[in-house]
């Protein structure tokens, strides 16, 4: 069975600090996809990144960076120089291959509530 | 391009009633999936539709059902509401190509009293 664990329930930082959100996953599939989503108070889940199981290259997008390590089944997310607008719940998710290769079914972690204080 | 639209935003229902939630996907997206979000269970997959066919269903009782119309719009229905059905119901659409990301709506907040 697939499982995603986000051990950090809540994190509180002061603006401009760097923060890393941890994500550990379990799957028996050799082909899978990992995602990070952000959920601000408005409720909408906002897509941040997708990574497939064959691409372990780390990625940087502005203040955001992601570290994917298959050896430890981890897909961690770092925000550099955090800002108040980064305050939200962040979800890590894993997709099954599914029939037809679609990723309609995501297994989500419980989420990490990040609060960035001014 | 308009995002995923869910209506209504808020609903208050009484135990035993039924409810229908609506979702309009992003134009051109043919896959629509539904998720339930609660504080205790987190985000859980309900079902997914593509071209008016349900392709997969999560572990929810038969009181939860859905359908998709020819224009890709989708509805989900919950019959005989229970207190535990109180949740945020999120709809997501996708192009269904190569594990493309899901695009979520703002959700419908259902409260059962």
């Amino acid at each position: 069975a697939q499982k995603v664990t986000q051990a950090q329930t809540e994190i509180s930082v002061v603006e401009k600090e760097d923060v890393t959100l941890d994500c550990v996953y379990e799957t028996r599939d050799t082909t899978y996809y990992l995602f990070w989503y952000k959920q601000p108070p408005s409720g909408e889940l906002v897509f941040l990144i997708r990574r497939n199981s064959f691409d372990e290259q780390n990625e940087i997008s502005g203040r955001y960076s992601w570290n994917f390590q298959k050896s430890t089944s981890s897909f961690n997310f770092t925000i550099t120089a955090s800002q108040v607008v980064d305050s939200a719940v962040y979800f890590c998710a894993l997709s099954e291959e599914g029939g037809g290769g679609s990723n309609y079914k995501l297994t989500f972690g419980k989420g990490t509530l990040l609060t960035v204080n001014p | 391009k308009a995002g995923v639209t869910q209506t209504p935003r808020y609903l208050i229902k009484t135990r035993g009633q039924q409810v229908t939630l609506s979702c309009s996907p992003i134009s051109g997206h043919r896959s629509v999936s539904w998720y339930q979000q609660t504080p205790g269970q987190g985000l859980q997959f309900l079902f997914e539709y593509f071209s008016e066919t349900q392709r997969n269903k999560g572990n929810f009782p038969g009181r939860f059902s859905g359908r998709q119309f020819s224009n890709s719009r989708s509805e989900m229905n919950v019959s005989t509401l229970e207190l535990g059905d109180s949740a945020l119901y999120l709809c997501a659409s996708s192009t269904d190509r190569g594990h493309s990301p899901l695009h979520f709506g703002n959700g419908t907040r259902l409260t059962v009293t």
Side-chain angles (χ1 to χ4, degrees):
Chain A
Q2 301 199 343
K3 185 178 178 181
V4 176
T5 302
Q6 294 180 254
Q8 304 149 310
T9 306
E10 294 186 39
I11 299 176
S12 182
V13 299
V14 176
E15 207 170 19
K16 297 184 183 177
E17 282 186 27
D18 298 347
V19 58
T20 295
L21 310 182
D22 298 333
C23 172
V24 174
Y25 62 92
E26 295 176 29
T27 179
R28 284 180 287 189
D29 291 349
T30 54
T31 302
Y32 53 89
Y33 290 76
L34 294 162
F35 302 80
W36 276 95
Y37 282 86
K38 173 182 179 180
Q39 187 176 39
S42 60
E44 178 183 356
L45 282 162
V46 178
F47 166 75
L48 295 176
I49 190 172
R50 177 191 63 185
R51 174 66 74 229
N52 73 54
S53 53
F54 300 108
D55 181 4
E56 289 192 69
Q57 190 172 19
N58 291 332
E59 182 158 338
I60 298 174
S61 176
R63 297 183 298 106
Y64 296 170
S65 63
W66 291 269
N67 184 339
F68 176 29
Q69 292 195 333
K70 285 179 75 171
S71 60
T72 56
S73 297
S74 65
F75 186 43
N76 296 336
F77 172 31
T78 297
I79 301 175
T80 302
S82 59
Q83 300 176 1
V84 173
V85 294
D86 294 327
S87 297
V89 180
Y90 290 86
F91 291 94
C92 180
L94 172 68
S95 76
E96 297 183 337
E97 181 64 18
S102 98
N103 75 326
Y104 50 81
K105 180 176 179 177
L106 293 179
T107 299
F108 284 89
K110 294 290 190 183
T112 297
L113 172 62
L114 173 64
T115 303
V116 182
N117 300 296
Chain B
K1 206 177 213 184
V4 176
T5 304
Q6 291 188 246
T7 56
R9 286 298 307 276
Y10 302 94
L11 265 177
I12 300 176
K13 290 287 187 179
T14 304
R15 261 185 311 176
Q17 288 186 315
Q18 75 167 22
V19 66
T20 299
L21 313 181
S22 180
C23 172
S24 293
I26 291 173
S27 177
H29 287 190
R30 295 167 64 192
S31 170
V32 174
S33 50
W34 290 87
Y35 289 79
Q36 181 196 63
Q37 185 176 23
T38 60
Q41 299 299 317
L43 281 152
Q44 294 185 288
F45 172 76
L46 279 158
F47 29 64
E48 187 258 357
Y49 288 87
F50 180 80
S51 292
E52 302 178 65
T53 300
Q54 185 183 89
R55 290 199 294 194
N56 206 326
K57 191 176 192 297
N59 296 323
F60 280 82
R63 299 185 297 106
F64 291 82
S65 63
R67 59 177 176 169
Q68 186 180 34
F69 302 95
S70 58
N71 61 359
S72 293
R73 192 175 70 82
S74 176
E75 289 181 348
M76 68 163 281
N77 184 277
V78 188
S79 62
T80 319
L81 284 166
E82 300 176 359
L83 295 179
D85 297 332
S86 295
L88 179 66
Y89 290 88
L90 291 162
C91 168
S93 73
S94 165
T95 62
D96 193 52
R97 277 197 297 268
H99 287 256
S100 55
L102 298 183
H103 297 267
F104 286 83
N106 285 328
T108 293
R109 172 77 60 186
L110 172 65
T111 301
V112 183
T113 62

